[in-house]
Amino acid sequence: MTGRRMSPEVPHRVGVGALNWLVANREHFRPRSTSAGRAREALKPVGELAVIGAVLLREGVAGSRQSAQLDGLLDFAWRDLLKAGDVLAAMLRDEPLSPIPMEVYVPFRELGLRHAGIEEHLRVVSRTTSWRALEALPNRRLGMMRAAARADLPAYADVAEAARRTWLGHTPEPWTVEYNLAYTVTHTVFHLTDWGRCPAGLPPDLAEYLALWLPVWIDEWAELRHWDLLGELLIVDTCLPAPALDEEVWRHYAEAQSPTGAMPVQGAMPSGPPDEVFDLVHHPTIVAAFAATMATSHALAALNPAAP
C-alpha cells in the first residue's frame, strides 16, 4: 500500500454514484413476499439505509443535492416502507424477543424518528431474563448489546468482555482469516466504534492489530475483486485512529463501480431482471456509499491537519 495522502475526489465520486443508484432503485427495497422469513430479510437493507443516512448527516460531506436525495430516501424508508414504525411494531407482536426490529429501529430513532409502541415494548422485554439469555454468536451478541445501548435500554452484559469473545478480540493468527471471519471483523469494529463515530471505542491492542494486518487483507480481497467485502474493509480503515486511505486501492475499487452507481459483489456487474440484479448488488452499493462518505470525510480533514 502506498500510504499517499488521498484526494477526496475519488471516494466522493463513488459515494455520489452509489447514492444516485439507491435513490433510483428505492422501490426495489419494498418486500416482494408476505412470508415472515422474507419480511425479516427485507428489513435488513431498510435499516442499512438509515445507517448510511446517519453517517452522511454526521460527517457533513454531502452536497445540497445529495442532502435532498438523502432526506427523500429516509422519508420513503420510514414512512412508506416501515409505515412510520408500525411494520416493526407488528413484527414485535409476533416475535416479542426478536432483536431484528430493534436493530432496524435504532438508526431511525437516532435520526429523530420515534415510535412509542416500539419503545414501550423494548422497555418491557429488556427487563426479562429471556432477553438477556438470547443465544447468539459472539459478534452477533456484541451487535445486539450495542443496539440496545443506543436505544437507551439497560445494559445486561459488559461490552468489553463481549468484544473479547469475538474472533477479532482474540487477535488470532492473521493468516487464518477467511471470507466469513473477515465479515465478523468488520462488524465487530462497526459495533465498537459506533459505525465510525468513535474510533476510541476500539481497544488499543485491537487498533494496533488492525493497523498492521488490515492493509494485507485489503490487498488480498482487492486482488480477488470481492468488492462487497473490500468495501467493508475500507470502512474499517476509516474507523481506525489513523486511517491509511490508500488511493491506489480506492481507485481500483472505484473502477469496479458501474456507470449506474451500483457496485457488484464480486467481479463484474451481474445481468438479469431488475429485481434479481437489485438483490445481488444493493448491499455492496450501500457499503460503497458508507465507505465513500467516511473516506471523503477523512480525506478532507487531512487537507487541514491543524484544525481542532
Side-chain angles (χ1 to χ4, degrees), residues 205-288:
D205 63 317
L206 300 191
E208 291 175 9
Y209 176 84
L210 288 167
L212 182 61
W213 296 112
L214 182 63
V216 179
W217 298 339
I218 285 176
D219 284 346
E220 178 179 354
W221 270 284
E223 185 176 345
L224 292 172
R225 294 168 55 83
H226 199 297
W227 311 120
D228 188 56
L229 180 51
L230 176 61
E232 294 213 3
L233 293 171
L234 290 173
I235 298 171
V236 170
D237 177 46
T238 66
C239 294
L240 299 182
L245 298 180
D246 189 276
E247 186 162 356
E248 182 179 343
V249 172
W250 263 98
R251 289 192 181 278
H252 186 47
Y253 181 60
E255 289 169 0
Q257 189 175 31
S258 79
T260 67
M263 185 69 73
V265 173
Q266 188 169 15
M269 276 290 294
S271 60
D275 283 355
E276 293 181 11
V277 172
F278 176 85
D279 289 344
L280 292 172
V281 305
H282 75 262
H283 185 266
T285 306
I286 288 174
V287 168

Side-chain angles (χ1 to χ4, degrees), residues 82-204:
L82 296 181
K83 308 301 180 188
D86 287 348
V87 170
L88 301 177
M91 180 176 288
L92 284 171
R93 287 193 292 272
D94 292 338
E95 301 179 65
L97 292 173
S98 173
I100 295 174
M102 174 188 69
E103 292 168 311
V104 173
Y105 175 65
V106 163
F108 286 102
R109 182 183 190 269
E110 292 175 335
L111 290 167
L113 301 169
R114 308 284 287 267
H115 188 288
I118 294 174
E119 304 226 355
E120 177 60 24
H121 178 98
L122 293 175
R123 281 193 293 269
V124 171
V125 299
S126 65
R127 300 190 190 107
T128 66
T129 300
S130 186
W131 174 263
R132 295 191 296 272
L134 286 174
E135 301 279 357
L137 293 171
N139 177 68
R140 183 81 180 90
R141 176 166 290 278
L142 176 64
M144 290 158 52
M145 291 170 56
R146 293 296 299 131
R150 290 161 58 202
D152 296 326
L153 299 176
Y156 60 85
D158 182 70
V159 170
E161 181 182 347
R164 290 300 168 185
R165 293 180 181 275
T166 66
W167 187 90
L168 176 61
H170 288 82
T171 59
E173 301 83 359
W175 50 265
T176 63
V177 72
E178 44 79 34
Y179 174 81
N180 290 315
L181 287 176
Y183 274 105
T184 71
V185 168
T186 65
H187 282 70
T188 297
V189 173
F190 300 160
H191 299 320
L192 289 175
T193 64
D194 192 10
W195 304 94
R197 183 185 64 82
C198 183
L202 197 62

